[in-house]
């Protein structure tokens, strides 16, 4: 049973180990790149989605305003007119 001994600090193998570590991290460790891409995607998605949802809410607000200010009064007036006419016809039919 041989135990591995750590190379001495001044050993010529230290730069090789350091280079191998750097090569590994550049070629095979994609976490930093992937994490950056994920952050970029999430930021873009949230910004675009936020703007889209803002436009949807603005359109909804305009539709509700239009309905309250114009459509609803027209419908109420048409209902009153038609109910008055219907009431008159019912009175005439009963007499």
């Amino acid at each position: 049973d041989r135990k591995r001994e750590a190379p001495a600090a001044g050993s010529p193998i230290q730069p090789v180990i350091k280079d191998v570590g750097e090569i590994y991290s550049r070629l095979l460790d994609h976490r930093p790149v992937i994490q950056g891409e994920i952050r970029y995607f999430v930021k873009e998605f949230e910004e675009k989605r936020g703007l889209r949802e803002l436009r949807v809410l603005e359109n909804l607000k305009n539709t509700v305003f239009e309905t309250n200010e114009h459509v609803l009064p027209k419908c109420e007036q048409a209902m009153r007119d038609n109910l008055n006419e219907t009431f008159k016809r019912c009175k005439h039919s009963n007499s």
Side-chain angles (χ1 to χ4, degrees):
D1 289 323
R2 274 201 248 167
K3 290 185 178 180
R4 288 189 168 176
E5 294 180 12
S11 171
I13 196 148
Q14 287 295 78
V16 173
I17 292 173
K18 183 180 175 187
D19 289 343
V20 168
E22 286 180 18
I23 291 170
Y24 169 79
S25 67
R26 288 182 182 228
L27 293 178
L28 302 175
D29 187 13
H30 301 297
R31 284 178 290 180
V33 175
I34 291 173
Q35 288 171 349
E37 288 294 320
I38 289 171
R39 280 193 295 275
Y40 174 76
F41 175 80
V42 168
K43 185 181 110 189
E44 286 292 310
F45 180 78
E46 286 176 348
E47 286 176 0
K48 289 179 182 175
R49 181 176 178 188
L51 293 176
R52 185 177 64 234
E53 288 180 1
L54 186 63
R55 285 192 302 269
V56 167
L57 289 174
E58 185 69 30
N59 290 340
L60 184 60
K61 183 187 89 171
N62 291 337
T63 301
V64 168
F65 178 78
E66 178 75 22
T67 301
N68 284 337
E69 295 297 317
H70 302 291
V71 176
L72 190 59
K74 287 180 184 178
C75 289
E76 287 176 347
Q77 187 60 42
M79 183 180 67
R80 282 191 194 110
D81 293 343
N82 288 332
L83 282 177
N84 285 336
E85 183 64 31
T86 304
F87 183 68
K88 287 177 187 175
R89 287 183 182 182
C90 286
K91 270 181 128 177
H92 181 69
S93 296
N94 283 338
S95 58

